[in-house]
Amino acid sequence: MPRKPRVRSGSGVTMHDVAKAAGVSAITVSRVLNQPQQVSEALREKVMQAVDALAYVPSRSASTLASARSRTVLVLIPSLANTVFLETLAGIETVLDAAGYQMLIGNSHYDAGQELQLLRAYLQHRPDGVLITGLSHAEPFERILCQHALPAVYMMDLADDGRCCVGFSQEEAGAAITRHLLSRGKRRIGFLGAQLDERVMKRLEGYRAALDAAGCRDAGLEWLDPQPSSMQMGADMLDAALAQRPDCDALFCCNDDLAIGALSRSQQLGLDVPERLAIAGFNDLQPSAWCTPTLTTVATPRRDIGVHAAQALLKLIDGEEPESRRADLGFQLMLRRSS
Amino acid sequence: MPRKPRVRSGSGVTMHDVAKAAGVSAITVSRVLNQPQQVSEALREKVMQAVDALAYVPSRSASTLASARSRTVLVLIPSLANTVFLETLAGIETVLDAAGYQMLIGNSHYDAGQELQLLRAYLQHRPDGVLITGLSHAEPFERILCQHALPAVYMMDLADDGRCCVGFSQEEAGAAITRHLLSRGKRRIGFLGAQLDERVMKRLEGYRAALDAAGCRDAGLEWLDPQPSSMQMGADMLDAALAQRPDCDALFCCNDDLAIGALSRSQQLGLDVPERLAIAGFNDLQPSAWCTPTLTTVATPRRDIGVHAAQALLKLIDGEEPESRRADLGFQLMLRRSS
DNA sequence: GTTTTTCATGTTAGCGCTAACATTTCATGT
DNA sequence: ACATGAAATGTTAGCGCTAACATGAAAAAC
C-alpha cells in the first residue's frame, strides 16, 4: 500500500513543475531566477514563460536550506511606537529592498532580556546579518552573534571598541544643546529624562559635562523617571520640577514628547517661554516645528543612519569591509522660539 | 575523491547532533520541542539538557519545508510612518507572539501595485495567513490569496461580501463627526482630505451623506489632495480654503495631522476657534489632546483591531470559524475645544 | 586539424527537519 | 495466563531547492 502523499505548501507548483513545462532541468530554472546571465537568452525566455504560466513562487525555505543563505536581515529596535525608529526602519527598508533582502523586525520594548529572547527566536530564520539599536546589551548577546558568525551593525550611537557602528555622539549632542541654553544666559538648567535607555543616559552625561565646564551643575535639577515618555509625563514632570525648584530657568528634555508636554503645560500655567523658562527637546519630531511656541531641539539623522547601517551590513555580509566601521553622521541644533 | 562538504547555516548544530548527545533519535528531539507532552518526562529532560549544552537553535526553514507550516503571518500595511498602523501592529504582535507565530511586515506605501508585489514577494516565505489593511486591492490580489488557499483577515473597515474583517464603519464615523459639527450650529462645513486612500474617501462619503441629510451640502467646500498628509499640508490647505471660501465656518479634516496643521495656522491667523471656525480631525493621536485649543476628533480602536484581527486569523489558520466574520469595533467621538 | 578554453546545461546528492508508518513497551481486562 | 490496546519511541522517506561536480558543444588558440 503506498503511503499517503504529504501536503504541499503554497499553491503546490514547484521548480520541477516549471522545469518540466519548459523542457529543461530544475537547475536551469534555479539559474534563470538567481543568476540569469548564466543562461542563454532562448532558454531564459522559455523558462520565464513557464514561470508566469504556472504562477510559480519559489520557496524561500527550500532555498535557505539548500544554500545556507536566507537573504534576510534581522533588525532589532526598542519600540515600534517611536517615530525615531520608524524613520530608521524606512531608511533600512529602501536599501534592503533594492538588494533583494527582506527584514525581520524585532521589537524589544526597551528590554534587554526581551531583546536577547528575540535574537534567539529570530535566529531560527538564520538571518544573514543583524542591525542593532544601541551599544549595550544583555550578557550573552555578543557571544551569540559571535558563535553564529553573524555580521552586525550597531545603530544610533558610536562605539569605541571596533564594533561596526553608524550614528552620532549622543553625549556630544546633549552637551551641545546644553551649551546653547547656557549661551542664552540660563544658569539653572534642569534635565527631564524618561525611559532612561542608554541614549537618554548619554545625553544626560553630555548635559552634565557641559554644566561642569560652565561651573553651574546642580544635581538637584535632574528629574529622572524610568517609565516610557509621553506628553502627559512631560507635563507632570514640569509641575514636579517647578514645585521643587522654582528657580529653574531652563529645561533640557531628553526627547520631544516630554518637551512638548512640558511646553504645553507651561503655556497653561502662563509662564513666559523662553524668558522665565526656556525649553529644549531632542529628535526634532514633526510637531516640534508646529507647537506654540515652536520647540528648540536637536535634529537627528535617523533615516540616514538606517540607510548607512544597512549598506554597511550588506558589505559585511558579502565579506567586504564597509567604508567606515565607525560612521559619525552628526546632528543639528534646531534653534526655535522655546529658547 | 570525496566531494567538498557543504557549508552549514547557523552555528552548525543540528537536531541530529542533539539526538546523538542525548542518546535518542532525531524525531524524539523534534517532539520534545514541538509536542513535549508526547515524550516521557525522563527523555524530555535529557533532550533539553543536550539542547542547552549544544546551544541548539532549530532551523525554521527546514521545519517549514518538512511540515508545510511556517508559523508566520504576513501583515500588509500602507505605511510605517503612521501611528495608526503601528498601534495596530502592536496589537497584532501581542497575539501572534503568544501563539508562537512571527509576523512579516509588508509596507505598501499606500500603493496597490506595490502591495501586490509585496504579497508576491512574501509568498516565498509561505505565510500561514495574511492580515490586510483595507478592503480594495489591485486586480489579481484576491485571486492569489485564493490560489494559495491563504486565510486572510481584512482590517480597519467592514466588508459586506463575506470576507472576514475587523474594523469599524469609516463612513459612519465620517457622518457622525459631521453631524456633531452640524449640532454646533455650523452650516458651511468644509472637508480637507489628503492621501485619499480608501478610508479617507469613505469618511468623505459619510460627510457628504450627513450634509445631504441636513440639506446643506456644498461641493465647493471640499478640498482634496492626493499627496501624503502632514501638518504643513493642513496649514496650506487651510489657507487655500479660506481664500476660496471665506464663509466656511467649520472644517472636518480627514486625519489629525492635517487638523493640527490647520488648527495651528488658524491660531497664527488669529481666527477664533471654534466660534469663527470649528475644526475636527480623525484618529485621536496623542498630540490632539495637547494642542491649543485641544482638538475634537474621532478615536479609533486600532490596537483592538489588531488584537481581534490576529485572533480571528489564528482561528482561520486552525480551520475553525472566528467568533464573527464581521467584527464592528466602533469608534468614539472625542469632543474638545476646537469645536 | 587538433588541443585547449569557455560557456551552457545536466546529474547527483544533501541541506535539516517532520509526516507517516512501524515497532516496542507496558498497563489493563478477562 | 493471554489477548488488547494505549503510550512511547524509532525508521524511512521526502519536503523544494541549490552546491558541487560532470558533460557536451561551441569558440578560441595553436
Side-chain angles (χ1 to χ4, degrees), chain A residues 208-228:
Chain A
R208 287 174 176 165
L211 291 186
D212 276 337
C216 51
R217 165 135 166 245
D218 180 342
L221 286 170
E222 295 173 7
W223 290 274
L224 303 177
D225 188 325
Q227 302 279 300

Side-chain angles (χ1 to χ4, degrees), chain A residues 147-168:
Chain A
Q147 273 170 2
H148 292 253
L150 263 180
V153 176
Y154 295 81
M155 301 185 292
M156 293 303 167
D157 208 339
L158 300 173
D160 289 316
D161 52 9
R163 288 182 291 177
C164 187
C165 56
V166 178
F168 61 93

Side-chain angles (χ1 to χ4, degrees), chain B residues 266-318:
Chain B
S266 53
Q267 291 296 99
Q268 286 167 17
L269 296 174
L271 289 184
D272 180 358
V273 175
E275 284 314 309
R276 161 72 181 83
L277 183 74
I279 295 182
F282 203 99
N283 276 328
D284 195 24
L285 303 188
Q286 212 195 359
S288 305
W290 286 92
C291 48
T292 28
T294 56
L295 180 69
T296 286
T297 185
V298 181
T300 54
R302 42 206 187 254
R303 194 191 160 86
D304 277 350
I305 290 176
V307 169
H308 279 77
Q311 286 169 340
L313 184 64
L314 290 181
K315 288 247 176 182
L316 287 176
I317 290 174
D318 290 340

Side-chain angles (χ1 to χ4, degrees), chain A residues 45-58:
Chain A
E45 202 134 303
K46 232 192 313 181
V47 168
M48 285 314 294
Q49 273 173 14
V51 165
D52 287 344
L54 299 178
Y56 168 66
V57 180

Side-chain angles (χ1 to χ4, degrees), chain B residues 6 8 14-15 27 30 34 56 58-59 62-63 66:
Chain B
R6 292 187 164 202
R8 298 181 150 216
T14 75
M15 189 173 270
I27 191 74
S30 171
N34 299 310
Y56 168 65
S59 159
S63 168

Side-chain angles (χ1 to χ4, degrees), chain A residues 6 8 14-15 30 34 56 58-59 62-63 66:
Chain A
R6 293 187 162 200
R8 300 183 148 215
T14 75
M15 190 173 269
S30 171
N34 299 309
Y56 168 66
S59 159
S63 168

Side-chain angles (χ1 to χ4, degrees), chain B residues 77-133:
Chain B
I77 54 175
S79 164
L80 272 175
N82 190 328
T83 320
V84 170
F85 302 118
L86 293 170
E87 292 179 23
T88 311
L89 279 183
I92 295 169
E93 193 189 30
T94 58
V95 175
L96 292 187
D97 246 40
Y101 276 73
Q102 291 187 348
M103 66 177 165
L104 295 169
I105 300 171
N107 174 3
S108 71
H109 301 96
Y110 288 103
D111 180 314
Q114 238 182 296
E115 183 181 55
L116 189 60
Q117 282 199 296
L118 277 175
L119 176 66
R120 289 209 166 100
Y122 280 102
L123 276 182
Q124 298 189 356
H125 287 117
R126 302 289 188 266
D128 295 333
V130 195
L131 291 171
I132 304 164
T133 306

Side-chain angles (χ1 to χ4, degrees), chain A residues 245-281:
Chain A
R245 293 292 300 265
D247 60 324
C248 176
D249 60 8
L251 280 176
F252 167 30
C253 305
C254 74
N255 64 43
D256 280 1
D257 286 325
L258 234 46
I260 292 172
L263 195 57
S264 176
R265 187 90 186 93
S266 53
Q267 292 295 98
Q268 286 168 17
L269 296 174
L271 290 183
D272 179 359
V273 175
E275 285 312 310
R276 161 73 181 81
L277 183 74
I279 294 182

